[in-house]
Amino acid sequence: MTAADELPADEHAALPADEHAELPADEHAELWLAPGQLASWLSVVRLITRLPWAIDTQLQRDADLSMIEYMTMAMLGEAPQRTMRMSDLAERTSSSLSRLSHLVKRLENRGYIRREADPADGRFTNAILLPAGRRKMESAAPAHVAYIRQLVIDNLSPERLRRLGQDADRIVGRIDSPAR
């Protein structure tokens, strides 16, 4: 089988001439995904693009919050004294410090978060969830949790949900691994 055999007939012409040559089986395996692997990969791609969009849409509609705003306030709500260094919060929300700073400024303007110098080390800035932010989270949570249950939790058996969480952690661990 050639690399060209993996493409629909109308795409063969787009391949350079040397790609029509036979490839050793082991080389072929590294260049292309097997049909089952491709189908699974495309399912993952659809999930990682559509799920955040669906959650963001629900939060915007029901709570006037974006998903990243909700996540930021949720992380602060779980932190001791509802306070976290901006650099740690950026890492936990998978945001750049610059993007998080703009986001926190918007939340500050809405009265949900306050920033102040870290008393332990003034080189750092802390973000603090304010009572209005906590109330906003508490009012947003019921519809948000119901939607998460509808989309994910109630759609999987407890065992499949547990395995999905483990698989997600394994992939995130590979992403975060220094030997990328």
Side-chain angles (χ1 to χ4, degrees):
M1 178 181 279
T2 67
D5 291 334
E6 292 289 319
L7 298 173
D10 60 328
E11 294 185 24
H12 283 230
L15 287 174
D18 64 335
E19 296 225 28
H20 290 282
E22 288 290 324
L23 295 174
D26 58 330
E27 243 184 276
H28 181 272
E30 290 188 26
L31 291 176
W32 305 100
L33 296 175
Q37 292 171 324
L38 180 60
S40 293
W41 169 243
L42 292 176
S43 291
V44 169
V45 169
R46 282 190 300 275
L47 175 66
I48 64 177
T49 56
R50 293 181 72 183
L51 184 61
W53 175 85
I55 294 168
D56 195 67
T57 300
Q58 178 272 317
L59 284 167
Q60 290 282 356
R61 180 188 65 237
D62 296 343
D64 192 31
L65 290 171
S66 68
M67 187 169 105
I68 188 69
E69 289 170 335
Y70 185 91
M71 283 180 50
T72 299
M73 293 197 308
M75 296 288 175
L76 288 172
E78 296 296 318
Q81 290 84 44
R82 297 185 191 104
T83 301
M84 192 179 295
R85 282 185 176 169
M86 289 284 290
S87 54
D88 293 338
L89 188 56
E91 184 177 327
R92 306 254 322 263
T93 59
S94 299
S95 293
S96 69
L97 194 51
S98 173
R99 179 176 184 224
L100 181 68
S101 184
H102 290 291
L103 179 137
V104 168
K105 183 168 180 55
R106 288 194 310 271
L107 293 172
E108 276 183 305
N109 291 339
R110 294 168 75 181
Y112 298 149
I113 290 178
R114 170 178 93 236
R115 284 185 281 190
E116 65 182 36
D118 186 334
D121 187 339
R123 297 175 298 168
F124 295 97
T125 300
N126 287 337
I128 302 150
L129 183 65
L130 298 175
R134 182 124 178 124
R135 287 190 300 275
K136 183 67 169 177
M137 292 293 301
E138 289 169 353
S139 70
H144 179 61
V145 170
Y147 194 59
I148 296 302
R149 284 188 183 286
Q150 175 192 344
L151 291 179
V152 180
I153 307 301
D154 295 343
N155 203 19
L156 300 171
S157 70
E159 175 59 20
R160 290 186 81 167
L161 181 61
R162 184 188 66 75
R163 286 190 356 233
L164 176 63
Q166 287 177 330
D167 292 343
D169 286 344
R170 183 176 179 170
I171 293 167
V172 169
R174 179 67 60 94
I175 292 167
D176 293 343
S177 169
R180 282 186 238 184

